[in-house]
Amino acid sequence: MKANEEFVRNFDLGDLTVRPRRRLAVLACMDSRILFERCLGLKPGDAHMIRNAGGIATEDALRSLIVSHHLLDTQEFIIINHTDCGLLKVNEYELRAHLTNKMGAIASEPAHFHAFDDLEANVREQVRKVKSHPWIPKNIPVRGFIYDVKAGRLSQVHE
């Protein structure tokens, strides 16, 4: 709350519109080491940022991208995964068993954690999922990238 009080004292973003200036939506991992706004040169109001564990095109992420395009006029999507991701090299079934044992309960949700073992293949899969959705127009560019957490560099993953 103290940080918010300071933020409010200097707040100057009240005139931003709901539509992102750069007409861009970014689906990326929630990793706290990555400041995607800075590595992409974005300012508040430039793009929609959708973040989840792994930067996965889940049902909810797809919902957000669809809203972003159809209701708020974004015209480009970027998907970013990164090196040293917590979901990289995790076994889905071992994780579920570990959580069941640790918490003493079986859970039906989440149905999947979307763990993966090949970073580039995962980026390609997320791009494919977005591009193939029937409510995402074929003319919307969807590009995939890998962010190197040690160097800060983005590398495009080509299909």
Side-chain angles (χ1 to χ4, degrees):
M1 292 307 296
K2 189 173 185 174
N4 181 251
E5 289 173 16
E6 182 63 29
F7 179 72
V8 168
R9 263 193 290 287
N10 300 307
F11 187 73
D12 62 354
L13 304 174
D15 292 332
L16 292 176
T17 68
V18 68
R19 287 177 167 74
R21 274 190 301 265
R22 292 178 69 182
R23 300 171 73 184
L24 172 68
V26 179
L27 170 59
C29 187
M30 66 184 197
D31 192 294
S32 63
R33 298 171 292 179
I34 306 167
L35 303 172
F36 288 112
E37 293 84 352
R38 287 176 56 191
C39 85
L40 293 169
L42 299 174
K43 295 181 176 80
D46 280 351
H48 287 148
M49 295 298 298
I50 303 156
R51 293 180 75 153
N52 66 24
I56 306 296
T58 59
E59 179 182 351
D60 195 55
L62 286 165
R63 178 184 67 88
S64 294
L65 290 171
I66 290 164
V67 167
S68 179
H69 171 70
H70 288 285
L71 299 182
L72 302 168
D73 201 32
T74 56
Q75 298 297 316
E76 181 178 3
F77 298 152
I78 294 175
I79 298 170
I80 304 174
N81 284 192
H82 65 92
T83 58
D84 196 32
C85 182
L87 284 176
L88 188 59
K89 308 280 186 202
V90 170
N91 180 290
E92 188 94 13
Y93 300 104
E94 289 175 7
L95 176 58
R96 186 169 291 286
H98 169 74
L99 292 170
T100 299
N101 289 335
K102 180 178 180 180
M103 301 308 297
I106 296 172
S108 61
E109 292 180 8
H112 301 284
F113 285 94
H114 302 281
F116 53 94
D117 59 9
D118 183 323
L119 198 50
E120 285 192 23
N122 188 61
V123 171
R124 285 187 193 96
E125 174 64 14
Q126 304 321 307
V127 168
R128 185 201 62 73
K129 282 167 57 175
V130 172
K131 282 184 168 185
S132 66
H133 195 284
W135 292 347
I136 303 285
K138 301 301 177 216
N139 66 321
I140 297 292
V142 182
R143 296 186 297 152
F145 294 87
I146 293 174
Y147 176 82
D148 183 328
V149 296
K150 300 293 184 197
R153 178 168 285 113
L154 282 174
S155 301
Q156 186 165 359
V157 175
H158 299 281
E159 295 178 58

